[in-house]
């Protein structure tokens, strides 16, 4: 009897507590009467704070996607002004504006637009650059390709480089004189990976019917690139003049790599579905395919200047063009990805095939054949990538400094500028010539366009093998790169100092 009374009083007490809660809930304007007994709804009820007030910034256009400033002002000449029109969270595979459009209709429409898109991009490039290649008479890339020299940028109003460098950022911006604005994707509204002609001629499956590569081959890395392995430095270039593929990797590396490293390389050479290259009807290749491989983009662990759009930015017209970077020396890097700052090569590898292949959209990845690669294989892929080394250099010592007994006076002067007036070593610290940090150049000071925000420091080791430069390839030569930073950092370098600095960087 005593136990029953205790139980009764306990239930009665709980009922009273429940009544108290219900009374409190019923007083809330945020809860409907039929929801007052819903514990989940009650837990999510927001009680506005008097401390939380919206500022003018909070109410500004900055957070209206339709008012976002595009990454380039040239999109006005591109289809749909570079914007995706309609619902963008999951882009309809058969075209958002014409849901019943077939693949054949899409391809026909895209092919009809392609000549005009290419013409528009070429016209843009000619307005910015002198695309007539001039070559260094002495220095070549590792396997002998001539090295294009510049600067290639065309200055407006008969401006000289020295006169431009004497102007303030505000003067340059107000007069629209900055020679290196963002380089846009030829078809921003679609974006996606675009491969250069010399690679497509070897692998036709990489050709798109809607857009073509825009930069001349003279300003691209050599093809195929050399391969250097940090576990077998005595072998030098182990590519043997071939593009490593699923067909030849075992023959080339069976006596050089461990079984784990071979497995990792095999995975890096295995095609996986990608946004534009896959079997589905929204692909941009004429024929269905298994996709692209990691080493289609990072050919021989390096690059041929392929480009795409940053997967982690929205809206579409705000996304920036990204030039494929080299994997040489990734063992020296602590952050990976131009803007994503991934903290291990394993995370970067896994992120790439899970979402970056699909512009950060996991729904598309699932639809087109979402690959599930276990972490063991990811670690094997990472282990091979960590084997990739920088090309050997004849004039640097073990600390990454010039051996003066082998260097010319011009190169020695260039090194002094690099570590002094040029401020290059503030970010590009030897021996790997990077600082594993991200930096914001705040280019909006010079442009009537938004800046890019923080970008990671890229290594300068073997830099002559990796044109074009900067994250989007807007700097076609090392000379352009020096002119760019002379303006952005307001260094006031003389013509001779700039020439010396380029001579030094060619030896890194």
């Amino acid at each position: 009897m005593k136990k029953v009374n205790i139980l009764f009083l306990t239930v009665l007490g709980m009922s009273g507590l429940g009544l108290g809660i219900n009374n409190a809930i019923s007083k809330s304007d945020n809860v409907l009467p039929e929801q007052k007994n819903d514990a989940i709804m009650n837990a999510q009820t927001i009680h506005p704070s008097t401390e939380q007030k919206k500022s003018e910034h909070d109410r500004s256009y900055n957070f209206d996607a339709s008012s976002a400033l595009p990454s380039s002002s040239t999109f006005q000449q591109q289809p749909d002004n570079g914007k995706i029109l309609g619902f963008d969270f999951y882009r309809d595979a058969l075209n958002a504006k014409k849901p019943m459009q077939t693949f054949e209709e899409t391809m026909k429409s895209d092919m009809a637009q392609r000549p005009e898109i290419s013409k528009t991009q070429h016209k843009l490039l000619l307005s910015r650059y002198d695309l007539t290649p001039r070559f260094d008479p002495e220095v070549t890339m590792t396997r002998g390709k001539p090295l294009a020299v510049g600067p290639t940028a065309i200055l407006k109003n008969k401006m000289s480089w020295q006169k431009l460098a004497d102007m303030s950022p505000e003067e340059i911006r107000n007069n629209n004189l900055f020679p290196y604005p963002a380089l846009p994707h030829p078809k921003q509204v679609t974006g996606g990976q675009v491969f250069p002609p010399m690679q497509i001629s070897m692998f036709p499956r990489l050709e798109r019917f809607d857009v073509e590569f825009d930069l001349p081959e003279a300003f691209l890395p050599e093809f195929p690139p050399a391969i250097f392995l940090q576990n077998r430095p005595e072998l030098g270039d182990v590519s043997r003049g071939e593009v490593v593929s699923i067909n030849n990797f075992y023959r080339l590396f069976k006596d050089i790599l461990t079984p784990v490293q071979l497995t990792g390389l095999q995975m890096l050479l295995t095609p996986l579905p990608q946004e534009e290259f896959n079997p589905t009807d929204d692909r941009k290749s004429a024929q269905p395919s298994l996709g692209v491989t990691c080493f289609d983009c990072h050919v021989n662990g390096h690059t041929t200047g392929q480009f795409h759009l940053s997967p982690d930015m929205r809206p579409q017209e705000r996304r920036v063009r990204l030039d494929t970077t080299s994997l040489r020396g990734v063992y020296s890097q602590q952050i990976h990805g131009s803007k994503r700052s991934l903290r291990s090569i394993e995370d970067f590898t896994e992120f790439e095939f899970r979402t970056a292949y699909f512009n950060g959209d996991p729904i598309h990845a699932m639809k087109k054949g979402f690959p599930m690669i276990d972490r063991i294989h990811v670690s094997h892929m990472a282990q091979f990538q960590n084997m990739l080394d920088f090309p050997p250099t004849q004039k640097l010592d073990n600390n990454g400094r010039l051996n003066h007994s082998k260097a010319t006076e011009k190169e020695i002067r260039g090194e002094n500028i690099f570590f002094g007036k040029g401020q290059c070593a503030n970010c590009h610290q030897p021996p790997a010539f990077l600082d594993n940090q991200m930096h914001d150049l705040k280019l909006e000071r010079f442009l009537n366009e938004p800046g890019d925000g923080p970008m990671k420091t890229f290594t300068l080791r073997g830099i002559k093998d990796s044109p074009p430069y900067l994250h989007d390839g807007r700097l076609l030569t090392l000379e352009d790169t020096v002119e760019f930073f002379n303006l952005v950092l307001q260094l006031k370098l003389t013509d001779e100092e700039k020439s010396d600095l380029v001579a030094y960087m060619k030896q890194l």
Side-chain angles (χ1 to χ4, degrees), residues 91-103:
R91 202 166 56 197
D92 180 23
L94 297 178
N95 189 315
K97 289 181 285 186
K98 298 179 180 179
M100 298 306 294
Q101 191 171 22
T102 66
F103 166 75

Side-chain angles (χ1 to χ4, degrees), residues 307-324:
F307 62 85
H308 59 110
L309 290 180
S310 172
D312 50 358
M313 299 173 69
R314 294 298 186 275
Q316 184 77 356
E317 62 173 335
R318 186 64 188 87
R319 296 172 68 185
V320 298
R321 172 171 170 162
L322 291 180
D323 179 49
T324 300

Side-chain angles (χ1 to χ4, degrees), residues 6 93 203 205 208 216 230 241 300 313 325 362 408 422 444 449 454:
I6 292 174
F203 303 105
R205 59 185 171 79
R208 292 173 54 164
Q230 50 96 337
N300 284 11
M313 299 173 69
T325 57
T408 67
E444 60 270 24
E449 296 175 359

Side-chain angles (χ1 to χ4, degrees), residues 64-295:
D64 178 6
S66 63
S67 301
L69 293 175
S71 60
S72 173
S73 59
T74 65
F75 297 150
Q76 296 173 2
Q77 283 74 50
Q78 294 192 12
D80 295 331
N81 295 331
K83 297 181 180 181
I84 289 182
L85 304 179
F87 191 47
D88 186 27
F89 181 76
Y90 172 46
R91 202 166 56 197
D92 180 23
L94 297 178
N95 189 315
K97 289 181 285 186
K98 298 179 180 179
M100 298 306 294
Q101 191 171 22
T102 66
F103 166 75
E104 289 73 20
E105 291 171 330
T106 300
M107 183 169 70
K108 182 179 179 180
S109 174
D110 283 347
M111 291 179 68
Q113 293 180 13
R114 175 170 160 162
E116 187 62 30
I117 289 171
S118 299
K119 179 181 177 181
T120 299
Q121 185 73 353
H122 187 62
K123 182 179 179 180
L124 170 68
L125 294 177
L126 289 177
S127 71
R128 293 187 180 184
Y129 305 104
D130 177 0
L131 296 179
T132 303
R134 304 184 300 277
F135 299 108
D136 191 303
E138 299 177 357
V139 181
T140 66
M141 298 184 200
T142 298
R143 292 188 58 85
K145 180 177 179 177
L147 185 66
V149 299
T152 62
I154 298 174
L155 300 182
K156 299 178 180 178
N157 302 336
K158 298 182 179 179
M159 185 70 63
S160 71
W161 287 105
Q162 291 297 347
K163 185 178 180 180
L164 185 64
D166 289 335
M167 299 176 69
S168 69
E170 292 75 20
E171 288 178 298
I172 293 175
R173 183 185 66 240
N174 292 338
N175 290 282
N176 194 28
L177 293 175
F178 192 67
Y180 299 110
L183 183 61
H185 196 290
K187 195 175 183 182
Q188 184 79 11
V189 67
T190 305
Q193 193 81 344
V194 184
F195 295 88
M198 69 277 196
Q199 191 173 355
I200 291 174
S201 66
M202 180 173 282
F203 303 105
R205 59 185 171 79
L206 299 177
E207 183 171 16
R208 292 173 54 164
F209 53 69
D210 64 327
V211 68
E212 61 185 347
F213 198 85
D214 54 355
L215 297 178
E217 186 176 341
F219 301 103
L220 302 180
E222 57 192 351
F223 183 81
I227 306 174
F228 302 95
L229 300 178
Q230 50 96 337
N231 61 331
R232 295 296 305 275
E234 79 282 4
L235 295 177
D237 175 17
V238 296
S239 73
R240 306 182 216 182
E242 298 185 40
V243 174
V244 180
S245 71
I246 200 69
N247 299 315
N248 64 6
F249 83 98
Y250 188 77
R251 169 174 55 81
L252 292 173
F253 292 98
K254 64 180 180 179
D255 297 321
I256 299 176
L257 300 179
T258 69
V260 165
Q261 295 158 3
L262 273 174
T263 300
L265 178 56
Q266 180 182 5
M267 296 300 298
L268 292 166
L269 297 167
T270 299
L272 299 171
Q274 191 259 8
E275 185 77 278
E276 289 75 34
F277 302 93
N278 57 72
T280 63
D281 284 346
D282 56 339
R283 67 183 185 272
K284 295 302 180 183
S285 58
Q287 300 297 324
S289 76
L290 296 175
V292 299
T293 77
C294 298
F295 271 28

